[in-house]
Amino acid sequence: MTSKRTNQTTAGTQAASFAPAGPLTGRIAVPGDKSISHRSLILSALAVGKSQITGLLEGEDVLATAAALRAMGATIEKSGDVWTVYGVGVGGLMRPETAIDLGNSGTSARLLMGLVASHDISVTFTGDASLSKRPMGRVMDPLSAMGAEFTARMSSDGKACLPLTVRGLCPAVPMEYRLPVASAQVKSAILLAGLNTPGITRVIEPVLTRDHSETMLKGFGADLTVETDKDGSRVISLTGEAELSPQKIKVPGDPSSAAFPVVAALLVPGSDIVVENVGINPTRSGLFAILQQMGGNISFKKKRTVGGEPVADIHVKHSKLSGMDVPADIAPSMIDEFPILFIAAALAEGTTTTNGLSELRVKESDRLSQMAEGLSLLGVDVTEKEDGLVITGNGDLIPGSKKKTAIETALDHRIAMSFAVAGLVTKKGATVDDMSPTETSFPGFADMLATLQGSAK
């Protein structure tokens, strides 16, 4: 692999080229889990006393959450690799002096909207150009039913977007809400609002999504139960006006970040790597199961539990993959990993079909369109559908672009990292137009790839 990072003429962008150059070997660790990092900071800010967090992802998205919580009264400090949070208690948030800029973090926006919804304060959230295009209505609707009021910018297609102002209601109105679509962010926003709401707030989840919020709320001492109703739906009940206790939290490695070196090692001949200390929560590990079904040599070593979360070291060897029909019901457990799965499908033997992925159109970019466009540019046989892609691979190197055209990432970190991995198995390599968005979730991503390649020498 070669990795030449050259600045584009456009200010702030960082183009990079990636090409085949031998196997990937060695042991690495990936940054802390992004979902757990956000929630660790938020719940610590609501606890009474001092919490300590190690392994926190120090990407731009999580740092945006930390800055927002500071603006609302929490004290958050870092010393070495330990983050210390002095919480204000449930109900103790203060109105910030100015609007809060969340950069590109949709998780920050949606979770903090829920947090503010049951406090007697008014907060304005702004974001960058990418975040400002993302719809917020699915979170606003249930929070409005709890009594929060919103003023939002309306997009050209009539969707509520940032900048938006939320005015919380205290006491808010407890509610029972059945999720119309699988969304851990909507579920978490409602539960966070329920913490400062008298009575019981209940979320009914027909399709299981990542359950970090439920696990961590219990760990902080919230009165929360999870049951299964007669229809098989999860019923999450939270008793409000909670008092949370401070905790010591060790954040495991992010499986969404581990997905990139895992797929790279599967695809690059001769590769043999170990990714250490990765969270393998069943609500997050769908990609690994699919890759194993495609023929991937992936094994989980030293399985253990850390802070209530299952963790393991992931051992990966180069494998010949076969295409498959990916079940739509697995989408919630790997929704962020489909871009890199599409790269694996491009190198698999046969056709891979995906469905039920409309959610990908409202991520940091329209990930279905961006991936289809980039794969087509590299000569991959891909068909874009309304809710998925159909990709036919030939089990060999990706042909590559006939023109020296950089693949557009649309400021999306997962698109950037996916096509960086594609470059390692594209005949003449691939150039990604801007790798700077990777700082939101995987600081040092390109250096990590270079380390794995260097270990083989």
Side-chain angles (χ1 to χ4, degrees):
M1 181 202 76
T2 60
S3 175
K4 296 181 179 180
R5 299 205 279 174
T6 56
N7 290 331
Q8 293 269 37
T9 55
T10 304
T13 61
Q14 191 178 71
S17 297
F18 300 84
L24 308 179
T25 62
R27 303 178 70 92
I28 59 165
V30 295
D33 187 286
K34 187 153 74 84
S35 296
I36 295 176
S37 293
H38 281 295
R39 290 159 175 79
S40 296
L41 288 170
I42 291 171
L43 294 181
S44 295
L46 295 178
V48 178
K50 182 177 77 172
S51 294
Q52 291 185 315
I53 308 168
T54 56
L56 189 84
L57 168 63
E58 298 182 16
E60 292 174 355
D61 283 11
V62 174
L63 297 181
T65 291
L69 294 169
R70 288 192 188 101
M72 290 187 282
T75 299
I76 302 177
E77 303 169 344
K78 182 191 176 189
S79 177
D81 63 350
V82 179
W83 288 75
T84 301
V85 182
Y86 296 90
V88 298
V90 172
L93 296 178
M94 298 185 296
R95 178 176 179 172
E97 296 180 358
T98 61
I100 295 177
D101 184 354
L102 300 176
N104 191 33
S105 181
T107 302
S108 300
R110 295 185 175 111
L111 268 57
L112 293 174
M113 286 163 60
L115 188 63
V116 170
S118 58
H119 285 72
D120 187 20
I121 58 176
S122 178
V123 182
T124 298
F125 295 115
T126 65
D128 65 11
S130 175
L131 180 58
S132 297
K133 295 177 182 177
R134 299 177 68 179
M136 296 292 157
R138 66 172 58 173
V139 180
M140 292 167 54
D141 289 345
L143 296 179
S144 295
M146 297 180 76
E149 296 180 357
F150 293 88
T151 303
R153 180 185 67 84
M154 302 304 292
S155 65
S156 58
D157 57 355
K159 295 179 180 178
C161 300
L162 270 60
L164 67 75
T165 299
V166 52
R167 179 180 296 277
L169 176 67
C170 186
V173 181
M175 69 176 299
E176 179 174 290
Y177 188 75
R178 186 179 186 89
L179 293 174
V181 295
S183 173
Q185 291 182 357
V186 176
K187 172 179 65 176
S188 299
I190 297 169
L191 293 175
L192 288 172
L195 280 173
N196 197 40
T197 299
I200 296 177
T201 296
R202 186 170 286 117
V203 180
I204 301 173
E205 186 177 48
V207 179
L208 177 65
T209 66
R210 58 187 64 179
D211 61 358
H212 303 305
S213 291
E214 299 94 299
T215 299
M216 297 188 70
L217 281 165
K218 286 182 180 179
F220 274 83
D223 183 356
L224 181 146
T225 61
V226 180
E227 300 174 316
T228 302
D229 68 12
K230 61 181 181 181
D231 298 324
S233 298
R234 293 176 80 240
V235 180
I236 307 155
S237 301
L238 173 70
T239 301
E241 298 181 310
E243 183 170 321
L244 303 185
S245 301
Q247 301 294 314
K248 289 187 177 180
I249 303 166
K250 185 176 182 180
V251 180
D254 196 322
S256 296
S257 296
F260 299 99
V262 165
V263 170
L266 288 175
L267 301 185
V268 176
S271 295
D272 186 340
I273 72 167
V274 174
V275 188
E276 300 176 335
N277 195 46
V278 179
I280 55 170
N281 186 309
T283 66
R284 298 284 306 281
S285 57
L287 174 70
F288 304 135
I290 291 298
L291 290 172
Q292 287 175 323
Q293 291 178 48
M294 295 174 72
N297 188 337
I298 301 173
S299 57
F300 301 93
K301 309 295 185 182
K302 297 182 181 178
K303 290 184 179 180
R304 54 210 184 266
T305 300
V306 178
E309 292 283 344
V311 173
D313 298 343
I314 305 179
H315 186 195
V316 190
K317 295 182 180 180
H318 168 252
S319 308
K320 289 292 187 181
L321 303 182
S322 300
M324 65 174 288
D325 291 339
V326 180
D329 60 6
I330 203 170
S333 68
M334 57 176 291
I335 195 66
D336 289 329
E337 288 75 73
F338 274 98
I340 190 61
L341 176 67
F342 295 149
I343 301 302
L347 216 71
E349 184 74 42
T351 299
T352 298
T353 302
T354 57
N355 300 286
L357 304 182
S358 298
E359 174 74 9
L360 293 187
R361 295 199 182 276
V362 291
K363 291 288 188 177
E364 284 83 339
S365 69
D366 180 339
R367 287 179 174 166
L368 291 179
S369 290
Q370 290 299 133
M371 289 301 301
E373 181 179 336
L375 288 169
S376 294
L377 182 66
L378 293 180
V380 176
D381 182 352
V382 55
T383 300
E384 179 180 351
K385 305 183 299 176
E386 184 61 32
D387 67 343
L389 300 183
V390 178
I391 299 169
T392 301
N394 61 7
D396 200 356
L397 288 176
I398 296 171
S401 175
K402 295 180 180 179
K403 301 179 181 178
K404 292 185 178 180
T405 304
I407 296 168
E408 295 183 5
T409 61
L411 299 176
D412 190 323
H413 55 131
R414 300 200 193 280
I415 301 295
M417 291 186 284
S418 295
F419 281 108
V421 171
L424 306 185
V425 288
T426 298
K427 288 182 178 179
K428 294 185 179 180
T431 298
V432 178
D433 73 342
D434 190 2
M435 291 299 294
S436 62
T438 63
E439 294 300 309
T440 66
S441 65
F442 202 143
F445 169 78
D447 293 335
M448 177 275 299
L449 287 183
T451 297
L452 289 176
Q453 194 278 329
S455 298
K457 294 180 179 178

